Amino acid sequence: QVQLVESGGGLVQAGGSLRLSCSASGRPFSISYMGWFRQAPGKEREFVGVVRWSGGVTYYADSVKGRFTVSRDNAKNTVYLQMNSLKPEDTAVYYCAARKTYYTDLTAKGEYSYWGQGTQVTVSS
């Protein structure tokens, strides 16, 4: 089992920045990829970005590419989401997620076995 705990959400003005953190405990050595999804009110949970636990390869949704960066610190079992140039449409609950599989769709939330509790990000215009 893997437990995920997020931190770092909050309220920010449009154009500002926030950094989210997600710490993994339990059996993090079983993780293949770790990353972030988000869910806005009345919408489906959607893929944001992910990093491969070994090697650091990243993959992003088109809507955040160039603005958001996912990184990891293996020594701390922690993944980060640096969000720059934030827009009101980025407002959502952000969830950390981890998976054990390598070769299936990285954007599919059903492929992620472990989830954090979520942290609210609100971007004001």
Side-chain angles (χ1 to χ4, degrees):
Q1 283 291 78
V2 175
Q3 294 79 42
L4 303 176
V5 178
E6 302 116 335
S7 61
L11 173 65
V12 64
Q13 287 190 327
S17 298
L18 274 177
R19 189 176 82 154
L20 306 182
S21 300
C22 176
S23 296
S25 61
R27 298 167 62 88
F29 55 84
S30 65
I31 294 172
S32 59
Y33 288 88
M34 196 161 156
W36 299 88
F37 286 71
R38 66 186 182 186
Q39 188 166 16
K43 294 189 176 182
E44 292 285 321
R45 191 171 298 189
E46 65 175 7
F47 172 79
V48 174
V50 70
V51 60
R52 182 164 172 153
W53 200 241
S54 63
V57 174
T58 54
Y59 182 71
Y60 298 95
D62 287 343
S63 58
V64 306
K65 204 172 292 183
R67 300 188 299 122
F68 290 11
T69 302
V70 181
S71 61
R72 91 269 189 251
D73 184 333
N74 294 68
K76 296 182 179 180
N77 291 330
T78 299
V79 165
Y80 304 97
L81 178 64
Q82 177 66 44
M83 303 183 290
N84 299 327
S85 302
L86 281 160
K87 305 174 181 179
E89 51 264 42
D90 294 318
T91 295
V93 176
Y94 282 71
Y95 295 90
C96 179
R99 57 188 281 166
K100 297 183 288 186
T101 56
Y102 282 92
Y103 303 114
T104 53
D105 184 358
L106 293 176
T107 71
K109 54 184 179 290
E111 292 293 329
Y112 290 77
S113 303
Y114 308 106
W115 292 86
Q117 79 283 2
T119 185
Q120 177 71 45
V121 172
T122 303
V123 184
S124 63
S125 56

